[in-house]
């Protein structure tokens, strides 16, 4: 074969990762709340974008899919725009769609064990909270403002130290700083800062300024004149109280059963997070991205929640006015052209985002119809790839669609990721079941157990195998712990404690 230079022609096809495509992919992964914030930024940057004022009727979510029968029709999500979102960031070759792709913990919980009180995050007695008794309108002032008002009564020399301490008090009312660090910052001794901290700990709400749960409860015990050596010993070993180890507590507190039960009842009435009385740490509500409803004649209706998003439009009249106004600057013309192109791309990306979300959500409903009809016991094992194969999309696209998005249905609000669970093989060779269904059954068995005959993990394995679930003991233990359920020993102690308290 001769060696020498030559010319070859080759034809190939590839998708370039343009800024517009990157924008479309980014929008697909955002939740409705995050998308709303993103669109607000775009409205400020692009003068050609405007918001359409929606009437009350228009603000309602518009149907994005019209499912027919038990099998949800995919026609609503079949239309594709020119710029596909089906891109795998982990690969340099991008795939086209086919033409037809905490906690906060319970404020009344001690290390996941005994509940101090059964009230809402407002703490003990939050529903009966008397504004007059607290000396201020709790719903109008923040915890920080309430503490600053009370610090004004301290001597002038201590007020600056108190302000530094209050700045380091979190929403729950706990002091998260260090007296040594504040002393170094203010050129004071650590002991002087400790004295001011003790003064802050006398402020309302009772228990504020504590450095840990034990100190918070101790402050409230002193306020109630119940802080004796036995109570101090009890509050010093809250870990034993959380585990329900009454025998060890009696030895440490040197008291009998009656006194111990009396102290535990007292502790249950205290507020482990006093700062929350002033509105701190409130969780933001989760807004659903997709609605699913059963049709009267069968089948399901899937629609995107468009009520949370501004109704964008491209103000072409304004662009025409600027053009007719005789804009001569090349820079201005280039800027307007870029704004128009960006606005059009954004509108297309939003349209495709909605169609893609509906397409994925509709297939999830189709695959998990048993769950929507009968509950978690009928939840099937499901993977991202299974959904992607059914709707001719790439697995990465389905992953983005299901991230940080929630579906509202008759059974409640669920994250889209919730419907993707691993499989547990059937003991009798039948169809595999979802891990979530097994977790639900474990929770039900423990909820129904006899307190005098607590079910061990081995017994749970035997019961589950009798029901057709082929599951190992270590898997049962893992699922039980994931549900926040204690071992048989911990549950037995908990039952004993509840019986003793009830007596």
């Amino acid at each position: 074969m001769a060696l020498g230079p030559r010319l070859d022609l080759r034809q190939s096809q590839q998708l370039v990762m343009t800024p517009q495509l990157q924008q479309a992919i980014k929008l697909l992964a955002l939740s409705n709340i995050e998308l709303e914030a993103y669109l607000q930024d775009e409205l400020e940057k692009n003068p050609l974008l405007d918001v359409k004022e929606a009437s009350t009727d228009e603000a309602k979510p518009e149907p994005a899919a019209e499912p027919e029968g038990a099998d949800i029709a995919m026609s609503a999500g079949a239309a594709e725009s020119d710029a596909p979102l089906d891109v795998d960031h982990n690969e340099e070759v991008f795939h086209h769609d086919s033409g037809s792709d905490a906690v906060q913990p319970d404020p009344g919980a001690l290390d996941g064990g005994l509940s101090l009180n059964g009230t809402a995050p407002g703490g003990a007695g939050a529903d009966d909270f008397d504004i007059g008794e607290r000396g201020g309108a709790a719903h109008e002032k923040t915890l920080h403002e309430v503490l600053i008002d009370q610090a004004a009564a301290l001597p002038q020399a201590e007020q600056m130290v108190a302000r530094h301490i209050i700045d380091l008090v979190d929403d729950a009312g706990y002091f998260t700083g260090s007296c040594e660090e504040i002393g170094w910052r203010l050129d004071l001794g650590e002991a002087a800062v400790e004295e001011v901290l003790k003064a802050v700990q006398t402020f309302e709400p009772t228990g504020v300024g504590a450095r840990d749960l034990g100190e918070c409860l101790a402050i409230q015990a002193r306020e109630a004149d119940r802080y004796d050596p036995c109570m101090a010993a009890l509050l010093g070993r809250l870990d034993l109280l959380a585990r329900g180890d009454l025998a060890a507590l009696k030895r440490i507190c040197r008291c009998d059963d009656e006194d111990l039960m009396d102290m535990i009842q007292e502790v249950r009435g205290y507020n482990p997070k006093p700062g929350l009385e002033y509105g701190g740490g409130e969780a933001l509500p989760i807004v659903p991205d997709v609605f699913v409803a059963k049709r009267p004649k069968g089948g399901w209706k899937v629609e995107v929640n468009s009520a949370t998003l501004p109704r964008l439009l491209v103000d072409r009249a304004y662009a025409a006015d600027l053009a007719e106004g005789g804009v001569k600057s090349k820079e201005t013309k280039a800027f307007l052209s870029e704004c128009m192109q960006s606005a059009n791309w954004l509108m297309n990306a939003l349209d495709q985002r909605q169609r893609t979300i509906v397409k994925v959500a509709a297939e999830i409903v189709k695959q998990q119809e048993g769950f929507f009809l009968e509950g978690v016991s009928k939840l099937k094992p499901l993977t991202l790839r299974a959904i992607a194969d059914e709707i001719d999309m790439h697995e990465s696209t389905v992953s983005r669609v299901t991230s940080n998005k929630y579906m509202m249905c008759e059974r409640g609000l669920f994250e889209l990721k919730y419907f993707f669970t691993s499989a547990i093989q059937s003991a009798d060779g039948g169809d595999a079941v979802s891990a979530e269904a097994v977790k639900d059954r474990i929770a039900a068995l423990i909820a129904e157990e006899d307190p005098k005959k607590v079910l061990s993990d081995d017994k749970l394995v035997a019961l589950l195998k009798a029901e057709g679930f082929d599951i190992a003991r270590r898997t049962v233990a893992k699922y039980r712990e994931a549900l926040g359920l204690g071992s048989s020993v911990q549950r037995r102690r908990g039952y004993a404690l509840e019986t003793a308290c009830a007596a």
Side-chain angles (χ1 to χ4, degrees), residues 178-190 193:
S178 164
C179 291
E180 181 182 3
E181 183 179 347
I182 293 177
W184 177 82
R185 193 183 307 159
L186 300 179
D187 197 19
L188 293 172
E190 183 178 353
V193 180

Side-chain angles (χ1 to χ4, degrees), residues 264-331:
I264 292 176
Q265 286 294 98
E266 181 73 21
V267 172
R268 280 174 176 262
Y270 295 157
N271 188 348
K273 293 190 177 182
L276 297 186
E277 291 183 0
Y278 292 89
E282 294 179 351
L284 295 176
I286 296 175
V287 179
D289 299 271
V290 180
F291 293 105
V292 176
K294 196 173 188 304
R295 290 184 176 278
K297 296 182 180 180
W300 303 90
K301 182 171 80 170
V302 180
E303 56 189 15
V304 172
N305 181 10
S306 58
T308 59
L309 302 178
R311 306 291 294 273
L312 292 186
L313 55 85
V314 180
D315 197 343
R316 302 185 187 278
Y318 180 55
D321 290 342
L322 291 177
E324 292 175 1
V327 177
K328 297 181 180 179
S329 170
K330 290 184 178 180
E331 291 79 6

Side-chain angles (χ1 to χ4, degrees), residues 33 50 57 71 180 206 218 228 246 272 298 325 332 382 392:
I33 299 300
D50 199 4
D57 294 335
D71 294 333
E180 181 182 3
T206 304
D228 52 26
L246 303 183
T332 304
L382 186 64
D392 295 325

Side-chain angles (χ1 to χ4, degrees), residues 7-222:
L7 294 176
D8 287 333
L9 292 177
R10 293 183 181 179
Q11 187 175 9
S12 62
Q13 196 174 27
Q14 68 180 43
L15 178 64
V16 178
M17 193 69 166
T18 64
Q20 291 85 356
L21 183 57
Q22 293 178 19
Q23 178 195 53
I25 293 172
K26 178 181 178 181
L27 294 183
L28 188 61
L30 298 179
S31 67
N32 273 10
I33 299 300
E34 294 169 332
L35 181 61
E36 183 180 11
Y38 177 84
L39 294 181
Q40 291 297 336
D41 291 340
E42 289 296 317
L43 283 168
E44 294 177 3
K45 292 189 297 185
N46 194 333
L48 300 185
L49 283 176
D50 199 4
V51 178
K52 177 183 178 182
E53 295 295 334
S55 64
T56 304
D57 294 335
E58 289 176 336
K60 297 179 181 178
E62 295 181 357
E66 295 293 332
E68 298 178 0
D71 294 333
I72 296 181
M74 301 308 302
S75 58
E80 306 288 340
S81 66
D82 294 333
L85 302 183
D86 192 10
V87 180
D88 185 358
H89 282 298
N90 298 323
E91 301 288 342
E92 295 196 7
V93 179
F94 300 98
H95 303 270
H96 290 269
D97 292 346
S98 70
S100 57
D101 183 20
V103 154
Q104 296 188 4
D106 179 2
L110 293 175
D111 298 333
L114 177 67
S115 177
L116 290 180
N117 62 56
T119 60
D127 293 336
D128 300 325
F129 181 69
D130 187 350
I131 294 177
E133 292 179 359
R134 293 298 185 184
H139 63 283
E140 294 179 355
K141 289 189 175 183
T142 65
L143 175 65
H144 183 269
E145 292 170 341
V146 169
L147 296 179
I148 290 295
D149 290 345
Q150 296 176 77
L154 296 176
Q156 190 69 31
E158 296 181 0
Q159 289 186 20
M160 180 179 295
V161 182
R163 284 181 173 272
H164 278 76
I165 292 173
I166 292 170
D167 286 340
L168 295 173
V169 172
D170 63 15
D171 289 338
Y174 286 86
F175 173 58
T176 59
S178 164
C179 291
E180 181 182 3
E181 183 179 347
I182 293 177
W184 177 82
R185 193 183 307 159
L186 300 179
D187 197 19
L188 293 172
E190 183 178 353
V193 180
E194 285 276 1
E195 288 300 316
V196 179
L197 177 60
K198 290 179 181 179
V200 172
Q201 290 176 347
T202 64
F203 292 173
E204 295 290 346
T206 304
V208 74
R211 283 162 286 196
D212 54 45
L213 179 60
E215 188 175 24
C216 176
L217 300 177
I219 293 171
Q220 297 177 63
R222 290 191 186 96

Side-chain angles (χ1 to χ4, degrees), residues 195-475:
E195 288 300 316
V196 179
L197 177 60
K198 290 179 181 179
V200 172
Q201 290 176 347
T202 64
F203 292 173
E204 295 290 346
T206 304
V208 74
R211 283 162 286 196
D212 54 45
L213 179 60
E215 188 175 24
C216 176
L217 300 177
I219 293 171
Q220 297 177 63
R222 290 191 186 96
E223 181 74 14
D225 196 22
R226 289 296 308 270
Y227 193 72
D228 52 26
C230 289
M231 179 65 80
L234 174 65
L235 296 180
R237 293 305 308 270
L238 292 177
D239 58 322
L240 296 177
L241 180 59
R243 295 203 302 266
D245 195 343
L246 303 183
L249 284 174
K250 284 194 296 183
R251 290 195 303 270
I252 293 173
C253 297
R254 297 181 180 180
C255 63
D256 56 21
D257 290 339
E258 183 178 355
D259 289 338
L260 181 61
M261 290 303 105
D262 184 54
M263 288 191 295
I264 292 176
Q265 286 294 98
E266 181 73 21
V267 172
R268 280 174 176 262
Y270 295 157
N271 188 348
K273 293 190 177 182
L276 297 186
E277 291 183 0
Y278 292 89
E282 294 179 351
L284 295 176
I286 296 175
V287 179
D289 299 271
V290 180
F291 293 105
V292 176
K294 196 173 188 304
R295 290 184 176 278
K297 296 182 180 180
W300 303 90
K301 182 171 80 170
V302 180
E303 56 189 15
V304 172
N305 181 10
S306 58
T308 59
L309 302 178
R311 306 291 294 273
L312 292 186
L313 55 85
V314 180
D315 197 343
R316 302 185 187 278
Y318 180 55
D321 290 342
L322 291 177
E324 292 175 1
V327 177
K328 297 181 180 179
S329 170
K330 290 184 178 180
E331 291 79 6
T332 304
K333 289 182 179 180
F335 172 73
L336 290 176
S337 176
E338 182 180 348
C339 287
M340 178 60 73
Q341 184 181 19
S342 176
N344 288 331
W345 261 101
L346 180 60
M347 300 298 290
N348 290 335
L350 290 174
D351 179 67
Q352 184 170 352
R353 175 185 181 273
Q354 177 165 319
R355 294 176 180 275
T356 307
I357 290 176
V358 170
K359 197 172 184 180
V360 172
E363 185 61 31
I364 290 175
V365 174
K366 178 182 175 181
Q367 296 284 344
Q368 299 288 12
E369 187 176 17
F371 166 83
F372 293 96
L373 291 173
E374 301 184 40
V376 68
S377 62
K378 297 298 182 180
L379 197 64
K380 293 164 44 179
L382 186 64
T383 63
L384 295 173
R385 181 176 295 278
I387 295 291
D389 291 343
E390 288 294 328
I391 58 179
D392 295 325
M393 286 186 180
H394 193 274
E395 189 176 348
S396 62
T397 305
V398 178
S399 177
R400 293 187 194 97
V401 170
T402 54
S403 297
N404 303 316
K405 295 181 183 64
Y406 292 81
M407 175 186 291
M408 174 64 78
C409 63
E410 293 178 356
R411 299 196 173 275
L413 183 65
F414 299 89
E415 188 177 9
L416 291 183
K417 292 286 189 186
Y418 172 81
F419 298 99
F420 298 89
T421 62
S422 57
I424 300 296
Q425 295 301 319
S426 174
D428 56 6
D431 294 336
V433 295
S434 165
E436 287 295 328
V438 176
K439 287 182 182 179
D440 180 70
R441 188 57 189 145
I442 291 173
L445 289 172
I446 292 177
E448 297 168 357
E449 70 182 355
D450 186 346
K452 297 180 181 179
K453 296 181 180 179
V454 179
L455 300 175
S456 66
D457 289 345
D458 288 326
K459 184 61 176 177
L460 288 172
V461 169
L463 291 174
L464 290 170
K465 285 189 176 180
E467 295 181 7
F469 302 117
D470 187 10
I471 187 170
R473 182 184 180 279
R474 63 179 180 276
T475 307

